Structures are given as C-alpha cells and as structure tokens.
Amino acid sequence: MKFKSNIFCAVIAATISLSASVNAQTLGLKTVVIDPGHGGKDAGAVSADKKTMEKSIVLDISKKLRDKISSAYPGVKVLMTRDDDSFVELNNRARFATNNNADLFISVHINSVDGKRTAPNGYSVHILGPSNDKNKDTYAFNMEVCKKENEVIMLEEDYSTTYQGFDPNNPESDIYLRLMANSYREQSLIFAQLVDDKMKKGPFTKDNGIYQNNFAVLRLASMPAVLLELGFISNPNDLTQLRKESARNNIAQNLFEAFCEYKSFYDESVGAVKEKAQRTENNDNVQSATSEVQETRSAFSLDESCIYATQVLASSKDMKPDDPYFLGYTCKKMKSGKLYKYYIGISTDLEEAKKFSRDIRKKYPDAFLVKIENDMALRVNQ
C-alpha cells in the first residue's frame, strides 16, 4: 500500500506504552541502529559495469549518517550492524537492534531492476505490512523489491529453521509474512514520512513513495523500523549520483534531518505520556477539557453521556475517513488543539466496545479503548 503525503507527524504518545514506574532518565530516543544492507559475500545490487556494489555505497552512507547523529546528539547511542565489509545474516541484524534496546532501526539499501528497457529511478521508503492490491502496479513494484531484498536469506545456512520455514521463493511464505502484525507500524510510518519529505531535496529526481512490504529484516525488528531504497544502481543517472561523494553526503544529510525531527517528536511525546500517567495516578483530570469532549460528542453524533471508542491514531493532519490507514473501518475524528484523534469501534455499550477493541487491536496492536464521560476522556483497562 502506497501512502500519499497525508501524514507528516503523529503523536507517538498514543502508541507507546509506559508503566508508572518508568524512570525519567530512560525517556526519549536513546539508541538508533543503522543497518547497511548486504556485505561480505553478499554484494547486493551491482552496476552494469561491475565497478560499483550496493554493499559499499550503503556502508558509506550509513557511516556518514552515524557520524552526523553522533556529533549532534552525544547522548544518543548510534550503532551499526556492520561497519566493514562483513556478511551479517538478516536475523542477526534485527537481533542486534533488539539486544541493544534500539528505539529506531534504519536499514539502508540501493535498488536495482534487471532487463528493463527504461530503467526505473528514484528513492522509496518501506515499512512492514501487507501489500493490499495485487492488481496495481504498486503491488508488483512491492513484490519485486521485496523478493530482491529477501533473497539474501538463501546465502545463510539452515535458513528454513532460522526463519521458521520462510522461503523467499515460496508464495505461502509471502502470505504468512503479510499476515504478521507490526506493533510499531505507526511509529515506523512517521519516520518514513519524514524521510520521504527530506529526500525530495535530492540528489534523486523521483520520489517513488512509501510502501508496506514483507521484508524479513523488518518483520524481525522489535522496534520502529524502515528500509530505504536510495536510488537505482541500474539507472545511469542515479548511478552517477551514487558514485559522487557530495551526493552521498547529501543523502546522509537528508536522513539526518529526518532523524532530528523524529527524535524531537518522539522525545516530546514520551514526555507527554509520562505526565499523563502521573496525573492518572494522582486521580487528577486526564487528557481532555470540556470543549474537547464536546467536540468528541459532536464528531460521534451520540447524545448519550458515556461513549466508548478505540483510538487508533493521533495526527496533525486532517485525514479522510476513507484513508487506507483505517483499513475500511468506519472512522470518526475529533480535534484536540493542533491534533486530530481518530476512533473506530464506537459504541455506548462497554462490552460491545471491548469486543470491537479486541478485534481492532489484532490489526492495530497499539490501539486502546477510551471512555468519554462527564467532560473527561479516560483510557479503559482491558
């Protein structure tokens, strides 16, 4: 599914669970893992003249990005799955990020298409999720890229055991992957949108958009994660840029600026959640003022004093009810300050709302049930 530029940022507070015992010093984005794709015996995509390999280009861009983040944020731990020409298995890339408690995982790649008379060009950003339309060109594009990036599994020993039977050449494995839920889809989408916006500065002339894909490396990541395809090594113009030191630095700078904005939103939102949790513990008023609740009731068109709904998203953008993000659900929204909050599974009956919410959270693992009553909006424990 390709996302239009209809989400610039969302409030991560709505999708990050924090317990009351969270220490203030642990808040904020503290660790990022950069994953230069391929390496060692896996060259990745190779230019037609065999002089340029994906593994070398992405390593250079990744190092530049690492250095920029480390210089600007001394308190952020910036780790790389590889910092030399070594082969790293896909599951070990994700495991490395998990073991280091990463808050963000960035996998860097270069695209390539063989046998095309007119070579595709430009960049794209990918998050974990199902491609939902087999009859559109975007689905074919998704699957071509996905197959290419997952083929590295075949270079690994005992890959069928490591990946729980996943075979990149088996259609049933693709179906299995597309059914997997991603608890960090919303956060991943936020960062993906920021990258997509920043990369418009160049050096590539075409923005291929943001896609959901079944990349194994994303499926195995237990944190917000994106996979970047930064140009086509099979396109002469893109290849010319990728071979330039200045262009690779520009790419790293674009990614760095996206990281800066993401970290800012992340840190502010985590702080907001902590403040909210503390107010809840002290039995103070939570989250909403009278005017906000009035807006909520107006949006839901319900006269009852008590309303239940499942919140699936909070965003600064006014999204349409038929936006693909809502997966066909009937969606209602309310405006709260500069934010729009989006609800599905709306009911005046608690048990019915709980049933709706259980089903909804199978597709939106970070969604939560809300009760709106007497000018207060409270999260409902399930």
Side-chain angles (χ1 to χ4, degrees), residues 130-143:
S131 304
N132 69 336
D133 193 339
K134 296 182 179 181
N135 298 315
K136 290 186 178 180
D137 289 341
T138 53
Y139 180 84
F141 178 85
N142 286 356
M143 293 310 301

Side-chain angles (χ1 to χ4, degrees), residues 316-332:
S316 64
K317 290 298 182 180
D318 186 358
M319 298 167 63
K320 295 180 179 179
D322 61 351
D323 189 279
Y325 184 85
F326 302 120
L327 301 176
Y329 283 103
T330 299
C331 177
K332 299 292 184 180

Side-chain angles (χ1 to χ4, degrees), residues 136-194:
K136 290 186 178 180
D137 289 341
T138 53
Y139 180 84
F141 178 85
N142 286 356
M143 293 310 301
E144 189 168 353
V145 176
C146 189
K147 181 179 179 181
K148 177 178 72 70
E149 297 301 351
N150 284 340
E151 279 178 347
V152 66
I153 294 175
M154 305 298 287
L155 297 176
E156 303 177 19
E157 297 180 2
D158 197 23
Y159 67 84
S160 62
T161 299
T162 302
Y163 296 94
Q164 300 177 330
F166 171 66
D167 180 344
N169 295 319
N170 185 343
E172 292 183 1
S173 292
D174 173 63
I175 294 172
Y176 171 72
L177 284 180
R178 285 192 280 121
L179 293 175
M180 294 297 292
N182 177 15
S183 299
Y184 301 95
R185 178 174 56 180
E186 184 177 328
Q187 298 98 306
S188 300
L189 179 57
I190 295 166
F191 183 66
Q193 182 66 67
L194 290 169

Side-chain angles (χ1 to χ4, degrees), residues 4 19 34 46 48 54 65 74 89-90 101 113 145 167 170 189-190 213 243 263-264 279-281 298 324 328 336:
K4 302 296 184 182
S19 67
I34 304 172
V46 180
E54 177 182 1
L65 175 59
E89 295 181 350
L90 287 183
N101 299 313
V113 175
V145 176
D167 180 344
N170 185 343
L189 179 57
I190 295 166
N213 288 99
R243 284 173 169 170
K263 176 171 168 52
S264 177
R279 290 202 305 269
T280 303
E281 281 191 307
S298 176
S336 174

Side-chain angles (χ1 to χ4, degrees), residues 273-290:
V273 171
K274 179 175 183 294
E275 180 182 357
K276 175 183 172 182
Q278 289 176 334
R279 290 202 305 269
T280 303
E281 281 191 307
N282 296 329
N283 295 318
D284 292 334
N285 289 343
V286 180
Q287 187 177 4
S288 59
T290 303

Side-chain angles (χ1 to χ4, degrees), residues 45 110-113 119-124 141 144-145 148 204 206 208 229-240 242:
I110 306 298
N111 217 331
S112 178
V113 175
N121 67 303
Y123 65 92
S124 56
F141 178 85
E144 189 168 353
V145 176
K148 177 178 72 70
F204 306 114
K206 185 177 181 182
N208 289 311
E229 294 284 359
L230 304 173
F232 281 76
I233 206 169
S234 53
N235 181 282
N237 293 328
D238 282 7
L239 178 59
T240 297
L242 291 169

